[in-house]
């Protein structure tokens, strides 16, 4: 679209470094609260509510919301403003099914390229998960588990695969936070990490993909059982299959 005659390209103000940083910070704040279910699935929000809550300007809010909408974490609805993406049982199934396809392949490629330094990085990421301050908070624990999985994934050298896994972990982490309301998955997830580290130490390239897939499907089964059995199923905004 052509610019008005009174406006020249040089007159169009580009975002400043401060604007970009504010937008990034707003995005991270909102995303963190959505993933941790501080902002509940299905919850409605207006730009004003978001601005008041996070003390950020409208332009900054819109930039952050555009990214979160693109990632499927927020939906824009006419006359309602924005809605935190709801979760149905179908969503839970699909999220873990996608993860069970992406994570094993990323880990397989990573294991094939594993160096001694890379193995040390994985061990260090696993140790951070076990810190007392991390284990005291489900939010901190799941964030540390995510960092562990991404540390392993990054050794694949395939940034697109890592990005896909990162987005999928956003979605599965939301589901796990809902599950944690009724059941503690901490030890199960720690056990999975130990199995993955051992497989890497043994250089079991072909076995690690099979292990990762089995772990994803096992965790999906446990989470679904918990959500279906929980008395707070409606509170979690999980809808049965249509």
């Amino acid at each position: 679209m052509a610019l008005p005659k009174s406006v020249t390209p040089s007159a169009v103000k580009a975002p400043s470094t401060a604007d970009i940083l504010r937008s990034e910070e707003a995005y991270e704040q909102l995303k963190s609260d959505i993933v941790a279910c501080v902002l509940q699935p299905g919850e409605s929000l207006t730009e004003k509510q978001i601005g008041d809550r996070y003390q950020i300007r409208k332009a900054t809010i819109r930039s952050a919301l555009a990214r979160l909408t693109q990632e499927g974490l927020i939906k824009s609805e006419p006359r309602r403003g924005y809605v935190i993406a709801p979760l149905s049982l179908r969503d839970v199934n699909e999220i873990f099914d996608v993860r069970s396809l992406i994570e094993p392949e990323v880990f397989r490629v990573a294991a094939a390229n594993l160096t001694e330094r890379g193995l040390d990085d994985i061990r260090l990421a696993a140790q951070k998960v076990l810190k007392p301050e991390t284990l005291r908070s489900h939010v901190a624990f799941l964030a540390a588990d995510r960092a562990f999985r991404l540390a392993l994934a990054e050794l694949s050298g395939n940034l697109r695969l890592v990005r896909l896994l990162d987005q999928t972990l956003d979605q599965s982490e939301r589901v796990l936070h809902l599950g944690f309301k009724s059941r503690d998955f901490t030890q199960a997830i720690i056990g999975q990490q130990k199995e993955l580290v051992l497989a890497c130490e043994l250089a079991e390239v072909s076995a690690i993909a099979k292990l990762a897939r089995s772990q994803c499907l096992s965790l999906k089964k446990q989470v679904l059982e918990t959500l279906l059995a929980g008395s707070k199923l409606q509170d979690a905004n999980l809808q049965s299959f249509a």
Side-chain angles (χ1 to χ4, degrees), residues 109-136:
V109 178
N113 296 321
L114 197 61
T115 62
E116 199 59 43
R117 181 175 178 178
L119 189 55
D120 286 341
D121 289 342
I122 295 167
R123 290 180 180 131
L124 180 60
Q127 288 170 8
K128 289 181 179 178
V129 176
L130 300 176
K131 288 185 174 181
E133 60 269 28
T134 301
L135 295 174
R136 282 196 291 268

mmCIF file of all heavy atoms in Angstrom, residues 109-136:
data_model
loop_
_atom_site.group_PDB
_atom_site.id
_atom_site.type_symbol
_atom_site.label_atom_id
_atom_site.label_comp_id
_atom_site.label_asym_id
_atom_site.label_seq_id
_atom_site.Cartn_x
_atom_site.Cartn_y
_atom_site.Cartn_z
ATOM 1 N N VAL A 109 18.707 -37.742 16.255
ATOM 2 C CA VAL A 109 19.731 -36.976 15.531
ATOM 3 C C VAL A 109 20.769 -36.427 16.502
ATOM 4 O O VAL A 109 21.975 -36.442 16.230
ATOM 5 C CB VAL A 109 19.088 -35.830 14.718
ATOM 6 C CG1 VAL A 109 20.162 -35.006 14.003
ATOM 7 C CG2 VAL A 109 18.090 -36.389 13.699
ATOM 8 N N ALA A 110 20.304 -35.953 17.661
ATOM 9 C CA ALA A 110 21.220 -35.422 18.670
ATOM 10 C C ALA A 110 22.179 -36.497 19.167
ATOM 11 O O ALA A 110 23.383 -36.258 19.303
ATOM 12 C CB ALA A 110 20.427 -34.850 19.841
ATOM 13 N N ALA A 111 21.643 -37.690 19.441
ATOM 14 C CA ALA A 111 22.481 -38.791 19.937
ATOM 15 C C ALA A 111 23.526 -39.204 18.901
ATOM 16 O O ALA A 111 24.652 -39.580 19.253
ATOM 17 C CB ALA A 111 21.602 -39.982 20.300
ATOM 18 N N ALA A 112 23.158 -39.113 17.625
ATOM 19 C CA ALA A 112 24.091 -39.479 16.561
ATOM 20 C C ALA A 112 25.249 -38.485 16.461
ATOM 21 O O ALA A 112 26.340 -38.836 15.998
ATOM 22 C CB ALA A 112 23.361 -39.558 15.226
ATOM 23 N N ASN A 113 25.013 -37.247 16.913
ATOM 24 C CA ASN A 113 26.045 -36.198 16.844
ATOM 25 C C ASN A 113 26.674 -35.901 18.199
ATOM 26 O O ASN A 113 27.367 -34.901 18.356
ATOM 27 C CB ASN A 113 25.418 -34.899 16.299
ATOM 28 C CG ASN A 113 24.918 -35.057 14.872
ATOM 29 O OD1 ASN A 113 25.555 -35.718 14.068
ATOM 30 N ND2 ASN A 113 23.781 -34.455 14.564
ATOM 31 N N LEU A 114 26.423 -36.764 19.165
ATOM 32 C CA LEU A 114 26.827 -36.486 20.545
ATOM 33 C C LEU A 114 28.346 -36.506 20.724
ATOM 34 O O LEU A 114 29.034 -37.411 20.266
ATOM 35 C CB LEU A 114 26.182 -37.509 21.481
ATOM 36 C CG LEU A 114 26.149 -37.166 22.961
ATOM 37 C CD1 LEU A 114 25.361 -35.890 23.200
ATOM 38 C CD2 LEU A 114 25.519 -38.304 23.743
ATOM 39 N N THR A 115 28.853 -35.475 21.387
ATOM 40 C CA THR A 115 30.266 -35.400 21.757
ATOM 41 C C THR A 115 30.369 -35.466 23.276
ATOM 42 O O THR A 115 29.365 -35.385 23.987
ATOM 43 C CB THR A 115 30.889 -34.072 21.279
ATOM 44 O OG1 THR A 115 30.214 -32.981 21.938
ATOM 45 C CG2 THR A 115 30.746 -33.916 19.764
ATOM 46 N N GLU A 116 31.585 -35.587 23.780
ATOM 47 C CA GLU A 116 31.781 -35.636 25.235
ATOM 48 C C GLU A 116 31.337 -34.328 25.880
ATOM 49 O O GLU A 116 30.745 -34.330 26.963
ATOM 50 C CB GLU A 116 33.258 -35.905 25.549
ATOM 51 C CG GLU A 116 33.500 -36.426 26.962
ATOM 52 C CD GLU A 116 32.753 -37.734 27.243
ATOM 53 O OE1 GLU A 116 32.736 -38.625 26.383
ATOM 54 O OE2 GLU A 116 32.171 -37.829 28.347
ATOM 55 N N ARG A 117 31.598 -33.236 25.194
ATOM 56 C CA ARG A 117 31.164 -31.933 25.715
ATOM 57 C C ARG A 117 29.640 -31.844 25.727
ATOM 58 O O ARG A 117 29.042 -31.332 26.675
ATOM 59 C CB ARG A 117 31.744 -30.812 24.857
ATOM 60 C CG ARG A 117 31.356 -29.427 25.345
ATOM 61 C CD ARG A 117 32.050 -28.340 24.556
ATOM 62 N NE ARG A 117 31.641 -27.025 24.986
ATOM 63 C CZ ARG A 117 32.122 -25.885 24.491
ATOM 64 N NH1 ARG A 117 33.047 -25.914 23.550
ATOM 65 N NH2 ARG A 117 31.681 -24.722 24.940
ATOM 66 N N GLY A 118 29.007 -32.344 24.665
ATOM 67 C CA GLY A 118 27.546 -32.344 24.612
ATOM 68 C C GLY A 118 26.950 -33.195 25.716
ATOM 69 O O GLY A 118 25.934 -32.821 26.323
ATOM 70 N N LEU A 119 27.578 -34.325 25.993
ATOM 71 C CA LEU A 119 27.108 -35.202 27.064
ATOM 72 C C LEU A 119 27.218 -34.512 28.421
ATOM 73 O O LEU A 119 26.323 -34.640 29.269
ATOM 74 C CB LEU A 119 27.923 -36.495 27.055
ATOM 75 C CG LEU A 119 27.455 -37.639 27.960
ATOM 76 C CD1 LEU A 119 26.002 -38.000 27.682
ATOM 77 C CD2 LEU A 119 28.355 -38.859 27.767
ATOM 78 N N ASP A 120 28.283 -33.749 28.608
ATOM 79 C CA ASP A 120 28.442 -32.985 29.853
ATOM 80 C C ASP A 120 27.328 -31.946 29.995
ATOM 81 O O ASP A 120 26.816 -31.720 31.099
ATOM 82 C CB ASP A 120 29.801 -32.286 29.880
ATOM 83 C CG ASP A 120 30.944 -33.256 30.140
ATOM 84 O OD1 ASP A 120 30.687 -34.360 30.639
ATOM 85 O OD2 ASP A 120 32.112 -32.904 29.819
ATOM 86 N N ASP A 121 26.954 -31.311 28.880
ATOM 87 C CA ASP A 121 25.874 -30.315 28.901
ATOM 88 C C ASP A 121 24.549 -30.956 29.315
ATOM 89 O O ASP A 121 23.771 -30.366 30.078
ATOM 90 C CB ASP A 121 25.715 -29.665 27.524
ATOM 91 C CG ASP A 121 26.871 -28.739 27.186
ATOM 92 O OD1 ASP A 121 27.605 -28.329 28.111
ATOM 93 O OD2 ASP A 121 27.049 -28.436 25.988
ATOM 94 N N ILE A 122 24.297 -32.154 28.804
ATOM 95 C CA ILE A 122 23.057 -32.863 29.134
ATOM 96 C C ILE A 122 23.038 -33.234 30.618
ATOM 97 O O ILE A 122 22.031 -33.063 31.306
ATOM 98 C CB ILE A 122 22.914 -34.136 28.268
ATOM 99 C CG1 ILE A 122 22.771 -33.761 26.799
ATOM 100 C CG2 ILE A 122 21.702 -34.950 28.709
ATOM 101 C CD1 ILE A 122 22.931 -34.945 25.868
ATOM 102 N N ARG A 123 24.158 -33.742 31.098
ATOM 103 C CA ARG A 123 24.254 -34.106 32.526
ATOM 104 C C ARG A 123 24.027 -32.885 33.410
ATOM 105 O O ARG A 123 23.329 -32.963 34.428
ATOM 106 C CB ARG A 123 25.633 -34.711 32.810
ATOM 107 C CG ARG A 123 25.869 -36.098 32.203
ATOM 108 C CD ARG A 123 27.250 -36.570 32.563
ATOM 109 N NE ARG A 123 27.573 -37.880 32.023
ATOM 110 C CZ ARG A 123 28.707 -38.154 31.364
ATOM 111 N NH1 ARG A 123 29.604 -37.200 31.161
ATOM 112 N NH2 ARG A 123 28.942 -39.375 30.910
ATOM 113 N N LEU A 124 24.614 -31.758 33.017
ATOM 114 C CA LEU A 124 24.462 -30.538 33.806
ATOM 115 C C LEU A 124 23.006 -30.081 33.826
ATOM 116 O O LEU A 124 22.481 -29.691 34.880
ATOM 117 C CB LEU A 124 25.341 -29.427 33.216
ATOM 118 C CG LEU A 124 25.298 -28.072 33.938
ATOM 119 C CD1 LEU A 124 25.762 -28.217 35.378
ATOM 120 C CD2 LEU A 124 26.170 -27.052 33.192
ATOM 121 N N ALA A 125 22.336 -30.158 32.678
ATOM 122 C CA ALA A 125 20.920 -29.772 32.603
ATOM 123 C C ALA A 125 20.066 -30.683 33.469
ATOM 124 O O ALA A 125 19.111 -30.231 34.117
ATOM 125 C CB ALA A 125 20.444 -29.811 31.152
ATOM 126 N N ALA A 126 20.412 -31.974 33.504
ATOM 127 C CA ALA A 126 19.673 -32.931 34.337
ATOM 128 C C ALA A 126 19.901 -32.648 35.818
ATOM 129 O O ALA A 126 18.983 -32.780 36.641
ATOM 130 C CB ALA A 126 20.088 -34.352 33.986
ATOM 131 N N GLN A 127 21.112 -32.250 36.181
ATOM 132 C CA GLN A 127 21.415 -31.938 37.583
ATOM 133 C C GLN A 127 20.636 -30.716 38.064
ATOM 134 O O GLN A 127 20.193 -30.661 39.210
ATOM 135 C CB GLN A 127 22.920 -31.688 37.745
ATOM 136 C CG GLN A 127 23.776 -32.947 37.626
ATOM 137 C CD GLN A 127 25.267 -32.647 37.536
ATOM 138 O OE1 GLN A 127 25.685 -31.498 37.708
ATOM 139 N NE2 GLN A 127 26.061 -33.658 37.254
ATOM 140 N N LYS A 128 20.446 -29.737 37.186
ATOM 141 C CA LYS A 128 19.710 -28.526 37.559
ATOM 142 C C LYS A 128 18.257 -28.839 37.906
ATOM 143 O O LYS A 128 17.654 -28.156 38.727
ATOM 144 C CB LYS A 128 19.778 -27.511 36.418
ATOM 145 C CG LYS A 128 21.150 -26.889 36.241
ATOM 146 C CD LYS A 128 21.157 -25.880 35.104
ATOM 147 C CE LYS A 128 22.532 -25.240 34.953
ATOM 148 N NZ LYS A 128 22.579 -24.274 33.821
ATOM 149 N N VAL A 129 17.719 -29.882 37.282
ATOM 150 C CA VAL A 129 16.340 -30.284 37.564
ATOM 151 C C VAL A 129 16.205 -30.756 39.004
ATOM 152 O O VAL A 129 15.152 -30.601 39.627
ATOM 153 C CB VAL A 129 15.902 -31.402 36.599
ATOM 154 C CG1 VAL A 129 14.505 -31.904 36.934
ATOM 155 C CG2 VAL A 129 15.942 -30.908 35.155
ATOM 156 N N LEU A 130 17.274 -31.311 39.562
ATOM 157 C CA LEU A 130 17.228 -31.917 40.891
ATOM 158 C C LEU A 130 17.576 -30.950 42.018
ATOM 159 O O LEU A 130 17.611 -31.359 43.183
ATOM 160 C CB LEU A 130 18.180 -33.123 40.935
ATOM 161 C CG LEU A 130 17.869 -34.242 39.936
ATOM 162 C CD1 LEU A 130 18.931 -35.331 40.008
ATOM 163 C CD2 LEU A 130 16.488 -34.822 40.178
ATOM 164 N N LYS A 131 17.825 -29.684 41.700
ATOM 165 C CA LYS A 131 18.134 -28.722 42.749
ATOM 166 C C LYS A 131 16.928 -28.579 43.689
ATOM 167 O O LYS A 131 15.788 -28.540 43.224
ATOM 168 C CB LYS A 131 18.489 -27.372 42.142
ATOM 169 C CG LYS A 131 19.853 -27.347 41.466
ATOM 170 C CD LYS A 131 20.189 -25.936 40.994
ATOM 171 C CE LYS A 131 21.588 -25.862 40.449
ATOM 172 N NZ LYS A 131 21.938 -24.476 40.010
ATOM 173 N N PRO A 132 17.166 -28.464 45.011
ATOM 174 C CA PRO A 132 16.055 -28.352 45.976
ATOM 175 C C PRO A 132 15.090 -27.216 45.657
ATOM 176 O O PRO A 132 13.868 -27.368 45.756
ATOM 177 C CB PRO A 132 16.774 -28.118 47.307
ATOM 178 C CG PRO A 132 18.114 -28.753 47.120
ATOM 179 C CD PRO A 132 18.484 -28.528 45.688
ATOM 180 N N GLU A 133 15.634 -26.062 45.248
ATOM 181 C CA GLU A 133 14.764 -24.922 44.939
ATOM 182 C C GLU A 133 13.912 -25.182 43.701
ATOM 183 O O GLU A 133 12.811 -24.645 43.572
ATOM 184 C CB GLU A 133 15.585 -23.634 44.763
ATOM 185 C CG GLU A 133 16.621 -23.673 43.658
ATOM 186 C CD GLU A 133 17.992 -24.153 44.120
ATOM 187 O OE1 GLU A 133 18.051 -24.929 45.100
ATOM 188 O OE2 GLU A 133 18.986 -23.750 43.493
ATOM 189 N N THR A 134 14.407 -26.003 42.803
ATOM 190 C CA THR A 134 13.642 -26.363 41.603
ATOM 191 C C THR A 134 12.523 -27.335 41.954
ATOM 192 O O THR A 134 11.388 -27.191 41.487
ATOM 193 C CB THR A 134 14.563 -27.001 40.541
ATOM 194 O OG1 THR A 134 15.595 -26.072 40.195
ATOM 195 C CG2 THR A 134 13.783 -27.369 39.284
ATOM 196 N N LEU A 135 12.823 -28.289 42.804
ATOM 197 C CA LEU A 135 11.843 -29.310 43.171
ATOM 198 C C LEU A 135 10.718 -28.757 44.052
ATOM 199 O O LEU A 135 9.674 -29.393 44.178
ATOM 200 C CB LEU A 135 12.546 -30.468 43.893
ATOM 201 C CG LEU A 135 13.540 -31.267 43.035
ATOM 202 C CD1 LEU A 135 14.276 -32.289 43.899
ATOM 203 C CD2 LEU A 135 12.828 -31.964 41.889
ATOM 204 N N ARG A 136 10.922 -27.593 44.620
ATOM 205 C CA ARG A 136 9.883 -26.999 45.474
ATOM 206 C C ARG A 136 8.747 -26.372 44.667
ATOM 207 O O ARG A 136 7.683 -26.078 45.214
ATOM 208 C CB ARG A 136 10.493 -25.941 46.402
ATOM 209 C CG ARG A 136 11.228 -26.516 47.604
ATOM 210 C CD ARG A 136 11.452 -25.455 48.665
ATOM 211 N NE ARG A 136 12.413 -24.448 48.233
ATOM 212 C CZ ARG A 136 13.721 -24.514 48.480
ATOM 213 N NH1 ARG A 136 14.217 -25.549 49.150
ATOM 214 N NH2 ARG A 136 14.527 -23.553 48.067
#
